Amino acid sequence: MRTSILSLSSVNAFDMATQFLIPMVLVRLLSDTDFGAYRTLWLIAGTGVGVLSLGVPASLYYFVPRLSRDASAVFVRQAGVYMAIAGSAGSMAAGLWCAWQAMTPHSSTGIAVFVGLWVFASLLDVLFSAQQRALDQARLNLLFALLRVGLVLGAALHWGSWESVLIAHLLLASAKGAACALGIGRFATKGIRWSRESVVEHARYSAPFGASAGLYLLRGRIDQWLVASAFSAAQFGLYSVAAVFSPIQGLLRSTINQVVLPEMNRMQSAGEIGAMQALNRRGNLAVALLIFPTLAFIASRAEPLLAFLFTADFSGAAPVVRTYCLMLLIESIEVTMILTAMRQGPYMMRTDAVALPIVIAVSWIGAQEAGLAGAALGGVVGALIAQAAAFWRASRLTGTRLARMQDWHVLARILLACGLSVAVVLGVRAMPLPIGAEGPVARLMGLGIDAVCFAAAYWVLVHLLRLAPTVRLAFGPRLSGLLGFRTK
């Protein structure tokens, strides 16, 4: 399992790096309005995948490991048919929204087609990992990450226009859609034929979780939709760069979920509740050891990071970045995998349904009162509501007190190590350094010094706060030894 996690983590880390790289290049090649259009494209596509999929791709993690290949083939076929329908619906909705925003006919049509293909092709992201073929999934993810970089950056560098970038995305989505159709065909050409009972079973499992996931995604992105609707494309481009850092948490969490969720489902079916909780605690410790320091560093050095990544014009998005980091920190320790394995989709859906209007109201009021920075406050409020409800429910279902749901004292020490590391960096930055203050080279050198100081301080503090055994538990003796955390 550890090899699978590391393989997917490496590829997903590369994919996340490309999500940084591509906007970094495009912001320097496109106009502010065209860059805003590019960010709008991915806002629509990402929302379409999250909302319209209704949990059907992720449901394969539940059905495929539990059934024989012949029996699970029917669920793979059903997933393919549904995602094709969802893609068509997403295409029409995207076209209507683009027309309402008064985009050009070519842009509206291109975005609509891309969204339709991308929604369908998103099934490919789980098709092999659901079969517990994590290495094959990693290779496939790497292939399309490379293809995306080559097509999009190649078009932008050669033609330097929004239209060429849109065409590159259409080629990417077409290739991924074709690969998805081929993968479904090869896996599900034989096996048990679909029936009304299998469709109903599939829908009953996936719909509650899918609706909850869709509401969760809307809760996290509603601020961007408000900004995209109420402000100009150029202003949305400025605001949206803060969301570029959001995949950091999603990278770690989705990678762990892809490998752990099938195992957790097996434990739940065998009645091993204690083992489920232990696996959840271990996963959260692994996430905390990585995501806490990452978010702390980003929040503390937001201005120079934005200036280096997206030019100095985008450093004004620093307050939004810090708000996003707070939201991601709240969401990083979670028990939704336990609720998912115990089929608590309806409860999660109700929770997000209650939280969504509160998030909308807070984001709208924040945008009216504080402009772009205030629009991000709704996400923090929504995260607090959802986390409180999830932990309370998991505690009731497992009969475990909240104080014992996680290793809170260990998590507090990790957070303390991060805070003290930030203090070290700020202390170093208070000293005069002969590297200048302007220009990309000076910014890169400054960030490099900050990163080295932060990493060194964090490494020392992990030892001083006696967190080395936690590192060993989370990552295993070999990797923790390579990182310098050997324990007896």
Side-chain angles (χ1 to χ4, degrees):
M1 181 180 293
R2 188 175 294 117
T3 301
S4 299
I5 291 177
L6 290 176
S7 298
L8 280 171
S9 295
S10 300
V11 173
N12 288 343
F14 175 77
D15 185 51
M16 186 186 72
T18 66
Q19 294 180 40
F20 277 89
L21 173 65
I22 293 175
M24 282 175 59
V25 176
L26 292 184
V27 77
R28 291 166 169 83
L29 298 175
L30 304 179
S31 67
D32 290 346
T33 300
D34 285 351
F35 181 73
Y38 162 76
R39 298 298 295 166
T40 302
L41 169 70
W42 279 106
L43 174 63
I44 298 172
T47 304
V49 170
V51 174
L52 296 175
S53 63
L54 276 181
V56 170
S59 70
L60 298 182
Y61 289 129
Y62 178 82
F63 291 108
V64 174
R66 295 168 180 250
L67 303 172
S68 67
R69 182 183 177 92
D70 288 345
S72 61
V74 64
F75 293 98
V76 174
R77 286 197 297 268
Q78 288 171 178
V81 171
Y82 173 78
M83 293 305 291
I85 296 172
S88 299
S91 180
M92 290 187 289
L96 291 173
W97 192 85
C98 291
W100 176 61
Q101 289 293 104
M103 292 187 178
T104 64
H106 288 92
S107 293
S108 297
T109 302
I111 290 175
V113 174
F114 173 78
V115 169
L117 290 170
W118 201 253
V119 169
F120 168 71
S122 65
L123 182 61
L124 189 64
D125 297 335
V126 304
L127 192 57
F128 291 96
S129 57
Q131 304 169 50
Q132 296 181 302
R133 295 167 57 187
L135 294 179
D136 290 333
Q137 188 71 63
R139 295 187 187 101
L140 197 62
N141 292 352
L142 178 61
L143 172 64
F144 281 101
L146 291 170
L147 186 61
R148 178 183 175 187
V149 171
L151 286 173
V152 175
L153 293 189
L157 289 168
H158 190 271
W159 288 285
S161 67
W162 154 242
E163 289 76 13
S164 64
V165 170
L166 180 57
I167 292 172
H169 280 85
L170 289 172
L171 293 174
L172 172 67
S174 299
K176 189 172 181 180
C180 183
L182 181 62
I184 294 170
R186 286 190 172 183
F187 182 81
T189 51
K190 298 180 181 180
I192 302 171
R193 297 184 61 183
W194 73 276
S195 63
R196 183 177 180 276
E197 289 75 17
S198 66
V199 173
V200 171
E201 182 182 7
H202 204 161
R204 282 180 175 173
Y205 176 82
S206 66
F209 291 114
S212 176
L215 289 168
Y216 168 81
L217 183 139
L218 286 175
R219 173 167 61 80
R221 296 192 180 184
I222 197 64
D223 59 319
Q224 295 184 56
W225 279 101
L226 289 173
V227 173
S229 301
F231 295 84
S232 67
Q235 288 175 303
F236 174 69
L238 172 67
Y239 183 88
S240 69
V241 298
V244 171
F245 297 104
S246 297
I248 294 173
Q249 190 245 27
L251 161 70
L252 295 172
R253 181 55 62 191
S254 64
T255 300
I256 290 176
N257 286 359
Q258 282 182 328
V259 179
V260 169
L261 194 53
E263 179 67 13
M264 194 167 284
N265 278 316
R266 185 197 63 77
M267 291 177 177
Q268 189 275 333
S269 63
E272 301 173 2
I273 304 301
M276 285 176 56
Q277 292 180 286
L279 189 59
N280 174 253
R281 286 194 294 269
R282 180 181 173 186
N284 280 334
L285 287 175
V287 169
L289 285 166
L290 296 174
I291 197 66
F292 282 12
T294 303
L295 293 176
F297 182 77
I298 291 172
S300 64
R301 307 306 299 154
E303 286 88 354
L305 273 171
L306 289 169
F308 173 71
L309 294 173
F310 302 105
T311 74
D313 294 339
F314 286 80
S315 59
V320 183
V321 170
R322 293 192 177 96
T323 306
Y324 267 57
C325 286
L326 177 59
M327 179 186 71
L328 295 173
L329 180 69
I330 294 169
E331 293 178 340
S332 59
I333 306 303
E334 55 86 36
V335 290
T336 53
M337 280 197 297
I338 292 177
L339 297 180
T340 300
M342 300 184 77
R343 306 192 71 162
Q344 290 297 303
Y347 174 81
M348 296 163 66
M349 179 176 61
R350 291 193 298 270
T351 300
D352 286 316
V354 170
L356 182 59
I358 299 174
V359 171
I360 293 174
V362 173
S363 293
W364 178 258
I365 294 172
Q368 297 299 313
E369 297 297 326
L372 294 178
L377 293 175
V380 175
V381 174
L384 288 170
I385 295 172
Q387 286 289 76
F391 271 92
W392 177 83
R393 185 69 166 184
S395 175
R396 292 287 299 273
L397 289 172
T398 60
T400 305
R401 294 169 53 192
L402 284 172
R404 297 182 178 275
M405 287 293 295
Q406 300 294 323
D407 297 315
W408 298 113
H409 62 290
V410 178
L411 295 172
R413 280 186 283 155
I414 296 172
L415 197 59
L416 176 61
C418 296
L420 293 175
S421 300
V422 168
V424 170
V425 171
L426 294 179
V428 171
R429 296 302 289 168
M431 298 186 297
L433 299 174
I435 58 173
E438 298 297 333
V441 176
R443 293 192 186 104
L444 179 59
M445 291 179 62
L447 287 171
I449 292 172
D450 294 343
V452 170
C453 292
F454 184 93
Y458 183 65
W459 187 88
V460 171
L461 287 163
V462 166
H463 279 285
L464 292 177
L465 295 174
R466 299 179 180 178
L467 289 168
T470 303
V471 177
R472 185 182 179 90
L473 173 66
F475 301 113
R478 179 177 298 179
L479 182 57
S480 60
L482 291 174
L483 295 173
F485 296 104
R486 292 183 174 86
T487 56
K488 295 182 180 180

